[in-house]
Amino acid sequence: MAKSLENQETARKIVEAATELFAENNFEAVSLKKIASKAGANSALISYYFGNKQKLYEHILSDQADFFMSSLEKLEATGLTPLKRMLHFLDEQTRSHLENPNAIRIIYRELLSPTEIGAETIEKKILTIQDKMIQALEEAIGNGTVKPDTNTHAAAFTLISIPAFSLLTHQYILASRRLSGEETDFSHIRKVYLTYFNSLLTGKESLA
């Protein structure tokens, strides 16, 4: 049992080290040696746990996508309105990115400069998340809470991108101290996507 826990901890450290390095550099610039050194582990253990560098990279991308897919699926089963489901998802996405900003940097690098390694994960998982947001917006149009002329594809992309882009520029927000009063990082970002979200609504249901 102790050995199993030790193995889990070693694998976790490898994933954390690799996530940070892949966020700072492109795939080719990160070596197994660098990952092992940062994780405080033997290079052979990366192959043991993940197979190779490519599979480790795929694991990091897939794990982040699975987290958000799971979140959306759980919200779909709650009985909440489409608007509330979307808002809860955006809140969870924001909190997760604040806790682990490196993962979103890797995903956006893949979106901006696609690699063959990450293409399948982006196509099958990341874009599926956008599809689910589009479906929720279409439901909201159907029940009269979102304006009927809303471009659901553009709106879904914008809603998902606002917290992600805010996190990508998070360090600059902190550096310039643009947060006012008692405003937290989370409340600052939430205010941005709520402003856009509310512009789509008919007034039948409100978000706050």
Side-chain angles (χ1 to χ4, degrees), residues 6 9-18 21 32-46 49:
E6 181 183 336
E9 179 64 10
T10 301
R12 184 189 64 78
K13 287 180 178 178
I14 290 170
V15 169
E16 286 185 352
L21 288 169
L32 289 181
K33 185 176 180 180
K34 287 180 179 178
I35 295 171
S37 176
K38 192 169 189 65
N42 190 298
S43 297
L45 288 175
I46 298 175
Y49 289 120

Side-chain angles (χ1 to χ4, degrees), residues 51-200:
N52 54 38
K53 186 177 75 166
Q54 177 175 326
K55 289 181 179 177
L56 173 57
Y57 185 78
E58 290 172 345
H59 169 82
I60 292 168
L61 278 174
S62 184
D63 188 59
Q64 184 73 358
D66 287 343
F67 171 79
F68 288 120
M69 282 296 294
S70 174
S71 173
L72 279 169
E73 288 167 1
K74 287 176 183 176
L75 286 168
E76 286 173 351
T78 60
L80 291 169
T81 66
L83 294 186
K84 291 293 195 303
R85 293 202 313 266
M86 286 186 281
L87 183 58
H88 277 286
F89 173 71
L90 292 170
D91 288 346
E92 190 163 68
Q93 180 188 7
T94 301
R95 289 191 178 97
S96 174
H97 291 335
L98 280 167
E99 291 173 4
N100 181 20
N102 288 320
I104 192 60
R105 292 191 182 106
I106 298 173
I107 290 172
Y108 262 70
R109 177 177 285 121
E110 276 297 325
L111 290 170
L112 295 171
S113 302
T115 66
E116 290 184 13
I117 303 165
E120 184 174 351
T121 299
I122 294 296
E123 183 176 347
K124 291 186 176 180
K125 295 186 176 182
I126 302 297
L127 295 183
T128 300
I129 293 171
Q130 182 175 335
D131 290 340
K132 284 188 171 292
M133 290 289 280
I134 291 169
Q135 290 169 12
L137 284 163
E138 289 173 348
E139 284 182 56
I141 289 174
N143 68 23
T145 54
V146 165
K147 296 173 184 176
D149 60 347
T150 298
N151 182 322
T152 55
H153 287 72
F157 177 81
T158 302
L159 284 168
I160 293 171
S161 296
I162 287 171
F165 183 76
S166 297
L167 265 296
L168 291 173
T169 59
H170 185 237
Q171 59 182 316
Y172 302 109
I173 292 173
L174 291 178
S176 61
R177 304 313 307 166
R178 292 181 181 173
L179 303 186
S180 59
E182 297 300 314
E183 191 175 32
T184 65
D185 299 338
F186 172 75
S187 64
H188 173 82
I189 295 169
R190 192 177 197 266
K191 185 164 63 178
V192 178
Y193 57 75
L194 259 180
T195 298
Y196 174 72
F197 211 162
N198 281 317
S199 73
L200 305 176

Side-chain angles (χ1 to χ4, degrees), residues 9-30:
E9 179 64 10
T10 301
R12 184 189 64 78
K13 287 180 178 178
I14 290 170
V15 169
E16 286 185 352
T19 301
E20 185 174 339
L21 288 169
F22 285 134
E24 295 171 350
N25 310 275
N26 62 41
F27 177 80
E28 297 299 335
V30 179

